[in-house]
Amino acid sequence: MLRYILKRILIGVLVLWLIATLTFFLARAMPGGPFTREKALPEAILKNLNARYHLDDPLLKQYVDYIKNIARGDFGPSFRYPTQTVNDLIARGFPVSATIGALALTLALLVGIPAGIISALRQNQWQDGFWLFTTTVLISVPNFIIATLLMYVFAYKLRWFPPALWGTAKQAVLPTIALAGYPLAFVTKLMRSSALEVMGQDYIRTCKAKGMPRYILLYRHMLKNAILPVLTILGPTTASILMGGLVIEKIFAIPGLGQHLINGIFNRDYTVIMGLTVFYAFLLITATLLVDISYCLIDPRISLAGGTKDE
């Protein structure tokens, strides 16, 4: 396992380098610059600003310096907020984004896994139809539409929850539900199809024929095998929650990383764009690696080196 983990870490470092390189040159290719304003700055001031942030250096030197700083964990200063660095923005915004993302992922798993099992056990009954309809709606409707409807109904009409901002438990309810919609539907559908496949296996029919109690059959034999495909998509699901959180944070005025990234794009704040993109990529690579390792903990038959341990 150690060899596999080291190999994946090396691949992850290579991917991060490629993402950092692409983001650097794409950001530099954007029209204008970080100090472009509706009212143009005097040439002398613009020259001093470029010199202060080394934007007048050759492009290759800027790239090499940036890669060196990333290797040290330094994403550089923000051009829009001169008194703050990108690391400061991450330190302040990531706990908020991580909280709403963790709540949304937890909600998706706590509801999606039981819903998928119920839908499979009650195939072609009203419970199955209810969840198939619900998941189809959640997958079809974008999360910003869901967020707008939730805000209109529960914040403005019923006044059960605050419409925006962050800091209290009530303020976390609506954005969590809006962000959890798509992953909840995806987990439910995947769990249903996986449970139906496992229920058709010979060993399940043998257990039923022997009169094994249903709860033992469900939790000891079916769930452990049926849940593996759900674990497989936890990495991409985490990514979709992080990316979806950018829009949700903007709608609910949540002071997370999404706000900083969107503002950085609007302001052409190169270091914020590049730093947050690399940081998001690091989170995705780490989440995917942890999911792969968790396979062995849940099902000992699986070997990370390839194949199964029975081979």
Side-chain angles (χ1 to χ4, degrees), residues 2-3 6-7 16 22 26 38 57 87 95 118 121 137 145 152 159 168 179 188 237 249 252 264 280 287 291 295 307:
L2 180 60
R3 182 178 179 182
L6 292 176
K7 179 181 177 181
L16 282 177
L22 288 173
L26 287 174
E38 293 182 3
D57 291 342
N87 294 60
I118 293 173
L121 294 176
V137 171
I145 298 295
Y152 177 75
R159 299 187 181 276
T168 65
L179 189 57
T188 301
T237 300
E249 289 179 13
F252 289 98
Y280 275 125
V291 167
Y295 290 162

Side-chain angles (χ1 to χ4, degrees), residues 59-278:
L59 188 61
L60 182 59
K61 183 177 185 305
Q62 294 183 48
Y63 168 72
V64 172
D65 291 341
Y66 179 68
I67 295 297
K68 288 181 180 178
N69 290 334
I70 284 183
R72 295 195 298 266
D74 180 12
F75 293 110
S78 168
F79 297 142
R80 183 65 174 178
Y81 308 104
T83 61
Q84 301 183 63
T85 65
V86 178
N87 294 60
D88 295 332
L89 299 180
I90 293 175
R92 187 172 65 251
F94 177 66
V96 177
S97 296
T99 299
I100 186 175
L103 289 173
L105 182 60
T106 302
L107 178 61
L109 295 177
L110 289 180
V111 177
I113 292 176
I117 295 175
I118 293 173
S119 186
L121 294 176
R122 298 289 187 269
Q123 187 181 15
N124 298 325
Q125 299 181 27
W126 71 267
Q127 296 94 333
D128 188 25
F130 170 78
W131 284 112
L132 286 177
F133 173 78
T134 302
T135 54
T136 301
V137 171
L138 291 176
I139 288 177
S140 303
V141 180
N143 60 10
F144 63 87
I145 298 295
I146 297 176
T148 304
L149 290 174
L150 290 174
M151 185 182 294
Y152 177 75
V153 174
F154 295 101
Y156 289 104
K157 287 295 185 180
L158 300 178
R159 299 187 181 276
W160 289 357
F161 301 101
L165 300 180
W166 184 262
T168 65
K170 278 192 171 184
Q171 289 172 331
V173 173
L174 296 184
T176 297
I177 295 175
L179 189 57
Y182 180 83
L184 188 154
F186 194 59
V187 168
T188 301
K189 282 184 171 292
L190 186 59
M191 192 67 200
R192 177 185 182 273
S193 61
S194 179
L196 287 174
E197 181 180 354
V198 171
M199 288 167 60
Q201 298 295 322
D202 291 338
Y203 73 93
I204 295 292
R205 288 195 290 266
T206 301
C207 292
K208 288 181 179 179
K210 290 182 177 180
M212 179 178 292
R214 189 168 185 174
Y215 70 93
I216 295 179
L217 175 65
L218 178 64
Y219 292 105
R220 182 178 296 179
H221 297 284
M222 190 190 77
L223 183 60
K224 181 181 290 188
N225 293 303
I227 204 172
L228 288 176
V230 176
L231 289 178
T232 304
I233 56 95
L234 279 184
T237 300
T238 302
S240 69
I241 287 178
L242 289 174
M243 294 299 102
L246 303 180
V247 179
I248 298 300
E249 289 179 13
K250 190 69 176 179
I251 292 175
F252 289 98
I254 298 174
L257 289 183
Q259 285 273 31
H260 295 311
L261 181 56
I262 292 175
N263 291 336
I265 294 173
F266 286 151
N267 297 324
R268 303 179 186 87
D269 199 338
Y270 296 153
T271 51
V272 171
I273 297 172
M274 295 184 294
L276 294 186
T277 301
V278 172

